Amino acid sequence: MSTPETNPAPNPSNSDHVRDIAEVAAVEIITTAAVHLMSAAAVKCGLAEGSDAEELKDLDEARKLITALAGLITAAAPEVGSQHAAPLRDGLRSLQLAFREASTIQDAPGKGPGEKLTGPVN
């Protein structure tokens, strides 16, 4: 016979967390991840509000985030449908243009962040 000391009860917060995740639609998880990547990339492009926006700018980090975002959107677009993919693509394009504007050294056409996945952005 087991006692509470030898066989502890499962952690209810873990099982609640798993159940909560299971109830969330894939499209919601994908768009939430994309929005987090967009927000982080915007900050790293120097688009944050406040007097410290320039201090937060890090174009190397922004490039990585934008490329990851482009990969997510490109891969997920057929699965989430145009209703959800179109605004994500618009946000991605805006970030790619913001990156280009913030960069002192211009990438060649098609060589900017995420452009090998999306094509050149003008």
Side-chain angles (χ1 to χ4, degrees):
M1 176 180 213
S2 66
T3 65
E5 293 83 32
T6 61
N7 193 8
N11 184 347
S13 63
N14 285 341
S15 62
D16 290 345
H17 181 68
V18 170
R19 186 172 39 254
D20 290 345
I21 291 293
E23 294 171 1
V24 179
V27 68
E28 188 175 337
I29 293 171
I30 292 165
T31 55
T32 299
V35 168
H36 284 294
L37 287 168
M38 283 182 189
S39 298
V43 169
K44 298 297 185 177
C45 282
L47 301 175
E49 292 185 19
S51 58
D52 62 345
E54 192 63 29
E55 294 172 26
L56 300 173
K57 187 190 308 186
D58 184 337
L59 295 180
D60 183 51
E61 291 290 301
R63 179 182 296 277
K64 293 171 187 170
L65 291 163
I66 294 168
T67 300
L69 176 63
L72 175 61
I73 292 171
T74 301
E79 303 300 325
V80 300
S82 62
Q83 170 187 352
H84 298 285
L88 295 176
R89 283 190 189 110
D90 290 345
L92 171 60
R93 183 176 185 278
S94 295
L95 285 168
Q96 288 171 314
L97 293 171
F99 179 92
R100 179 173 287 155
E101 188 175 309
S103 182
T104 56
I105 301 171
Q106 296 300 306
D107 291 316
K111 300 294 183 183
E115 289 185 349
K116 80 175 172 185
L117 300 164
T118 64
V121 175
N122 297 316

